[in-house]
């Protein structure tokens, strides 16, 4: 989505005039003072006109002062409209849905989605839209979340784990689930997203507040200076006019950063949203730029959470290839990520490349279902089943058979390593175990390395045993890890780092992560996680990708850098405007001050008007930079400071000299004053 479309520009221009309302503008003290100055100048110019005095300079100064206010309003309005445009696209995902609500006696009734309340249970099956936020209590389903996250790949949602959270507006592709609604109407995740985006302009961070205090202080200082100037000028026999005095005030005030400050914060929130991250707190966005330590949960955060087949363990007396072939055939009808991973690994073990496996003649597939917990195939001479220990045990019990001791021992060993065993049975005989291993998410090692370059320490926290934790930590490239951690342990670790003066970011997805997320300075919950985790966090990653933390930190730093850079630029501008206006005021009485007229401007009136025009035009010129932000680079803080001081400090001094001179030449050429 681009903001530079005619409909958005038109809407921003309209809002620029609406924001001229003093009841709205007073929240930005700098621009409020400019508006008051514009009003006074306009009134004085009208009096000049009525009394037959020269009004040309006053008229033009008034016009450009009003333009200054409008340009500042335009910057803020454009940032707000950018967010509102995204809100409209999100609102388009909401439909008038019906829900199959399950009554206490087990019967279902069709009700509007808006009638659902916290605690209601609903049934959702193949092809249906999930009507509200909640947690899966029964069943397993493949869910398309692209309407919310933008990610086209469907995800598994199932009961009894950290992958049970579902979001209203997403679609069940296969499977059937029972969902317990966790929010009331108007409190859904999508509602909160839309509300956050639309109300982003109300978000003020501590840093922005502190900078606002500085700008107000500077404004008051210059008001005092300009208010006392006529008395000193009169004592020296110099006549000053209201348009020139107000021009001096507006040019010396930090109007550039004052006009762009609201847009910088709003645009930062929107850039997060463009990365599919919802920030519930402006404070958290700012804190992200100063994070020194990040804690990451393992399952579903560092790892996929979808277990992948890694090894076939045959039973005593069973050939490995026989186990692999049976596992392959029994998994062809299993559409879960685990089932697909078994097929991939089996084809690799058997040396099958790029070919589909044909169904044996006279056979019938038994698709995987959450109810049975198994998949398989029935052939003429044998029946093969693959599933969890519990499911296969129940299956064999119906056949008057049982899982032998060696297989149970092998399954226990897999479980003790923090992994998941599946059992393969052929008729009444168990022929082996499949090891399912949680896989580290692609690219996380490189992204954690980038965090390390930024000076941020990464710590993995997991409830797994130390052996499993160490293996995952080494593969993911975290700096440290904590194994066999309980929820209170995670909380204690965060408090320890915070007491040491660190700003801590926590990334998690489970209910057990909620206390730690609530304690962390920056708390990022995976959208695929539980409702409790999402409620405890101050940011939600819609893609459930922990590598997104790097983007969050970069945007946080960019907001801080952009504010600092444009503040430096704004204050540096005053130097050139000082050299333009002061000689114009005093050089006629004190010729020695002509030495300050280093730009050799055409006339005092032209000098004043040129400075005012530059002061107005520089605001819209910097709008793209304010919306985009100053790019963060992986380097030292001192280098960044030197670089930005050179560009925005020295540039802020030199640029106005050149531009004001060009404007002066144009004003003189056109004979405007």
């Amino acid at each position: 989505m681009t903001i530079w479309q005619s409909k958005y520009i038109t809407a921003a221009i309209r809002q620029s005039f609406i924001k001229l309302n003093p009841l709205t503008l007073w929240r930005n003290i700098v621009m409020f003072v400019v508006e008051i100055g514009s009003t006074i100048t306009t009134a004085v110019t009208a009096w000049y006109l009525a009394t037959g005095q020269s009004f040309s300079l006053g008229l033009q100064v008034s016009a450009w002062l009003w333009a200054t206010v409008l340009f500042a309003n335009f910057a803020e309005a454009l940032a707000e409209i950018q967010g509102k445009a995204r809100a409209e696209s999100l609102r388009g995902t909401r439909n008038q849905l019906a829900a199959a609500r399950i009554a206490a006696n087990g019967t279902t009734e069709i009700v509007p989605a808006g009638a659902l309340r916290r605690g209601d249970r609903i049934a959702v099956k193949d092809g249906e839209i999930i009507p509200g936020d909640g947690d899966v209590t029964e069943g397993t389903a493949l869910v398309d979340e692209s309407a919310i996250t933008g990610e086209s790949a469907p995800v598994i949602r199932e009961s009894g784990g950290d992958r049970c959270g579902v979001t209203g507006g997403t679609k069940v592709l296969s499977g059937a689930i029972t969902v317990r609604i966790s929010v009331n109407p108007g409190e859904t995740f999508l509602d909160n997203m839309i509300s956050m985006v639309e109300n982003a302009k109300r978000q003020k961070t501590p840093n922005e507040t502190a900078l606002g205090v500085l700008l107000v202080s500077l404004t008051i200082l210059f008001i005092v200076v300009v208010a006392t100037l006529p008395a000193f000028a009169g004592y020296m026999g110099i006549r000053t006019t209201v348009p020139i005095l107000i021009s001096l005030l507006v040019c010396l005030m930090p109007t550039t950063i004052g006009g762009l400050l609201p847009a910088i914060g709003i645009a930062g929130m929107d850039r997060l949203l463009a990365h599919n991250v919802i920030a519930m707190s402006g404070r958290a966005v700012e804190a992200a730029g100063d994070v020194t330590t990040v804690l990451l949960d393992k399952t579903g955060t560092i790892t996929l959470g979808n277990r992948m087949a890694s090894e076939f363990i045959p039973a005593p007396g069973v050939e490995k290839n026989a186990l692999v072939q049976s596992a392959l055939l029994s998994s062809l009808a299993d559409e879960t990520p685990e089932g697909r991973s078994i097929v991939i690994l089996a084809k690799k073990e058997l040396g099958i490349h790029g070919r589909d496996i044909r169904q044996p003649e006279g056979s019938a597939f038994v698709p995987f279902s959450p109810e049975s917990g198994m998949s398989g195939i029935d052939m003429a001479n044998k029946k093969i089943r693959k599933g969890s220990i519990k499911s296969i045990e129940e299956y064999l019990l119906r056949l008057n058979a049982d899982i032998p001791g060696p297989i149970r021992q092998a399954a226990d060993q897999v479980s003790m390593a923090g992994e998941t065993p599946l059992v393969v049975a052929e008729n009444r005989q168990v022929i082996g175990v499949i090891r399912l291993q949680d896989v580290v998410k692609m690219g996380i090692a490189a992204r954690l390395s980038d965090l390390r370059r930024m000076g941020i320490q990464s710590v993995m926290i997991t409830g797994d045993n130390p052996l499993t934790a160490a293996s995952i930590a080494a593969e993911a490239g975290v700096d440290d890890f904590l194994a066999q951690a309980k929820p209170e342990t995670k909380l204690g670790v965060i408090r320890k780092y915070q007491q040491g003066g660190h700003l801590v970011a926590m990334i998690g997805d489970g209910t057990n992560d909620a206390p730690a997320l609530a304690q962390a300075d920056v708390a990022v919950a995976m959208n695929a996680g539980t409702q409790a985790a999402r409620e405890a966090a101050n940011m939600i990653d819609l893609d459930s990708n922990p590598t997104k933390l790097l983007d969050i930190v970069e945007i946080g730093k960019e907001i801080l850098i952009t504010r600092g850079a444009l503040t430096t630029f704004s204050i540096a501008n005053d130097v050139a405007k000082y050299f333009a206006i002061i000689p114009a005021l005093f050089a006629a009485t004190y010729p020695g001050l002509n030495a300050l007229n280093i730009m050799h401007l055409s006339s005092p009136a032209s000098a004043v008007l040129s400075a005012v025009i530059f002061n107005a035009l520089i605001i819209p010129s910097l709008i793209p930079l304010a919306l985009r932000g100053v790019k963060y680079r992986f380097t030292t803080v001192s280098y960044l400071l030197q670089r930005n001081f050179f560009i925005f400090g020295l540039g802020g001094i030199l640029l106005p000299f050149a531009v004001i001179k060009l404007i002066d030449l144009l004003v003189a050429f056109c004979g405007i004053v």
Side-chain angles (χ1 to χ4, degrees):
M1 185 197 74
T2 176
I3 194 61
W4 304 106
Q5 297 181 23
S6 59
K7 62 178 180 180
Y8 298 138
I9 299 295
T10 303
I13 292 173
R14 184 167 56 251
Q15 283 297 316
S16 302
F17 286 92
I18 295 174
K19 288 179 178 290
L20 289 175
N21 185 347
L23 296 177
T24 302
L25 199 61
W26 76 268
R27 296 182 178 88
N28 187 338
I29 296 298
V30 175
M31 301 317 301
F32 183 62
V33 171
V34 177
E35 183 178 45
I36 293 175
S38 304
T39 304
I40 294 173
T41 305
T42 303
V44 170
T45 301
W47 183 73
Y48 286 166
L49 178 63
T51 56
Q53 301 181 56
S54 177
F55 64 89
S56 177
L57 179 62
L59 181 64
Q60 294 178 76
V61 167
S62 298
W64 284 105
L65 290 180
W66 282 114
T68 303
V69 183
L70 288 171
F71 288 150
N73 289 347
F74 178 78
E76 183 178 5
L78 197 62
E80 292 174 359
I81 287 171
Q82 187 172 12
K84 289 177 180 178
R86 296 191 186 278
E88 287 300 320
S89 68
L90 290 171
R91 191 176 281 110
T93 65
R94 292 199 298 198
N95 300 303
Q96 296 297 320
L97 302 175
R101 185 168 61 189
I102 303 173
N105 60 4
T107 61
T108 60
E109 59 175 338
I110 304 302
V111 299
L116 296 175
R117 296 293 185 270
R118 186 193 302 267
D120 285 348
R121 292 168 62 243
I122 59 172
V124 190
K125 58 182 185 291
D126 290 9
E128 293 183 348
I129 305 294
I130 300 173
D133 296 1
D135 295 316
V136 179
T137 58
E138 296 178 24
T140 301
L142 198 62
V143 180
D144 177 8
E145 297 184 339
S146 59
I148 301 296
T149 67
E151 176 58 51
S152 59
V155 295
I156 288 288
R157 292 290 175 262
E158 59 188 358
S159 62
D162 290 342
R163 296 182 295 166
C164 65
V166 293
T167 305
T170 58
K171 183 178 182 179
V172 173
L173 298 179
S174 66
I177 52 176
T178 300
V179 177
R180 179 183 290 111
I181 298 296
S182 56
V183 296
N184 292 318
E187 302 173 355
T188 66
F189 181 63
L190 191 57
D191 287 323
N192 290 334
M193 288 171 62
I194 294 170
S195 176
M196 187 283 301
V197 174
E198 292 183 329
N199 296 316
K201 63 180 183 292
R202 301 187 181 96
Q203 303 268 359
K204 274 199 175 185
T205 66
N207 181 276
E208 185 178 354
T209 302
L211 182 56
V213 171
L214 173 63
L215 298 183
V216 170
S217 301
L218 290 174
T219 300
I220 293 173
L221 174 64
F222 287 122
I223 289 174
V224 172
V225 169
V226 172
T228 57
L229 190 61
F232 287 100
Y235 177 77
M236 293 183 291
I238 300 172
R239 180 177 176 272
T240 57
T241 64
V242 171
I244 291 178
L245 289 173
I246 291 181
S247 298
L248 178 64
L249 172 63
V250 172
C251 288
L252 294 184
M253 282 169 35
T255 51
T256 303
I257 185 61
L260 296 173
L261 186 59
I264 294 171
I266 298 171
M269 301 281 285
D270 186 72
R271 287 203 300 278
L272 270 180
L273 190 63
H275 284 80
N276 274 351
V277 177
I278 300 298
M280 306 301 180
S281 164
R283 183 185 295 269
V285 180
E286 185 175 284
D290 292 323
V291 162
T292 58
T293 305
V294 56
L295 275 62
L296 303 98
D297 179 48
K298 179 185 79 73
T299 305
T301 303
I302 289 179
T303 62
L304 290 173
N306 295 331
R307 297 151 299 188
M308 311 296 284
S310 61
E311 185 183 5
F312 296 102
I313 306 172
V318 178
E319 293 288 335
K320 185 177 181 181
N321 273 2
L323 169 62
V324 174
Q325 289 175 350
S326 294
L328 173 62
L329 290 171
S330 63
S331 300
L332 291 175
D334 185 355
E335 295 297 327
T336 65
E338 291 89 346
R340 290 194 294 269
S341 75
I342 294 172
V343 173
I344 293 170
L345 183 62
K347 290 173 69 175
K348 182 180 178 181
E349 291 275 348
L350 297 172
I352 302 173
H353 303 288
R355 296 203 310 266
D356 293 330
I357 307 300
R358 293 185 179 180
Q359 182 177 350
E361 292 185 11
S363 65
F365 285 131
V366 180
F368 173 84
S369 69
E371 291 76 20
S372 69
M374 296 187 302
S375 66
I377 186 171
D378 292 341
M379 296 184 288
N381 58 343
K382 59 184 175 182
K383 295 182 178 180
I384 305 173
R385 295 292 187 270
K386 174 225 66 192
S388 65
I389 292 180
K390 182 181 178 182
S391 300
I392 296 298
E393 188 173 41
E394 292 175 352
Y395 171 75
L396 291 175
L397 186 62
R398 294 192 295 269
L399 300 176
N400 294 319
D402 196 8
I403 298 176
I407 293 296
R408 289 188 182 276
Q409 290 176 6
D412 289 342
Q413 289 176 356
V414 172
S415 299
M416 288 175 63
E419 297 161 351
T420 302
L422 295 181
V423 179
V424 181
E426 193 174 288
N427 293 328
R428 300 175 72 249
Q429 180 187 1
V430 178
I431 61 174
V433 174
I434 304 172
R435 183 192 298 269
L436 297 181
Q437 193 175 32
D438 211 353
V439 178
V440 172
K441 291 182 177 178
M442 185 177 296
I444 193 167
R447 301 292 269 181
L448 290 177
S449 176
D450 289 338
L451 284 176
R452 195 176 300 111
R453 290 169 59 194
M454 298 169 83
I456 299 174
Q457 180 187 13
S458 58
V459 181
M460 184 187 78
I461 302 182
T462 177
D464 290 342
N465 63 72
L467 187 63
T468 302
S471 175
I472 296 293
E475 187 177 354
V478 296
D479 297 314
D480 199 1
F481 69 91
L482 181 65
Q484 297 177 329
K486 298 178 180 178
E488 55 268 24
T489 310
K490 299 178 183 180
L491 191 61
V493 170
I494 291 177
R495 287 173 174 170
K496 179 183 176 182
Y497 277 108
Q498 289 174 331
Q499 289 168 2
H502 295 271
L503 278 179
V504 180
M506 168 73 185
I507 304 177
D509 68 337
T511 301
N512 62 335
D513 298 322
L517 288 169
Q519 178 66 35
D521 301 289
V522 179
V524 184
M526 303 290 100
N527 186 45
T530 62
Q531 183 70 21
R534 295 200 295 264
E535 289 179 351
N538 47 37
M539 291 188 190
I540 298 175
D541 176 16
L542 300 181
D543 299 332
S544 300
N545 182 359
T547 64
K548 197 68 67 63
L549 178 67
L550 186 65
D551 298 319
I552 295 172
V553 171
E554 284 185 359
I555 290 171
K557 290 184 179 297
E558 286 173 359
I559 292 174
L560 297 175
I561 293 171
T562 304
R563 284 195 193 124
L566 292 184
T567 300
T568 302
F569 184 86
S570 179
I571 294 174
N573 280 183
D574 290 347
V575 176
K577 290 179 283 190
Y578 175 89
F579 278 95
I581 294 181
I582 295 300
L585 286 176
F586 299 104
T589 304
Y590 296 96
L593 289 177
N594 275 316
L596 297 178
N597 188 17
I598 59 178
M599 289 180 280
H600 301 290
L601 302 179
S602 304
S603 67
S606 174
V608 171
L609 183 59
S610 298
V612 172
I613 292 174
F614 171 81
N615 194 68
L617 293 180
I618 196 64
I619 294 177
S621 301
L622 292 174
I623 288 177
L625 180 62
L627 297 182
R628 186 180 65 252
V630 178
K631 185 68 177 175
Y632 172 77
R633 300 174 184 271
F634 290 103
T635 184
T636 62
V637 174
S638 60
Y639 175 80
L640 279 176
L641 185 62
Q642 292 172 8
R643 179 180 178 274
N644 289 331
F645 185 80
F646 178 80
I647 295 174
F648 296 98
L650 186 60
I653 293 175
L654 298 179
L655 179 67
F657 279 97
V659 177
I660 289 175
K661 178 62 179 178
L662 288 174
I663 295 173
D664 175 74
L665 292 173
L666 184 62
V667 168
F669 178 78
C670 297
I672 296 176
V673 292

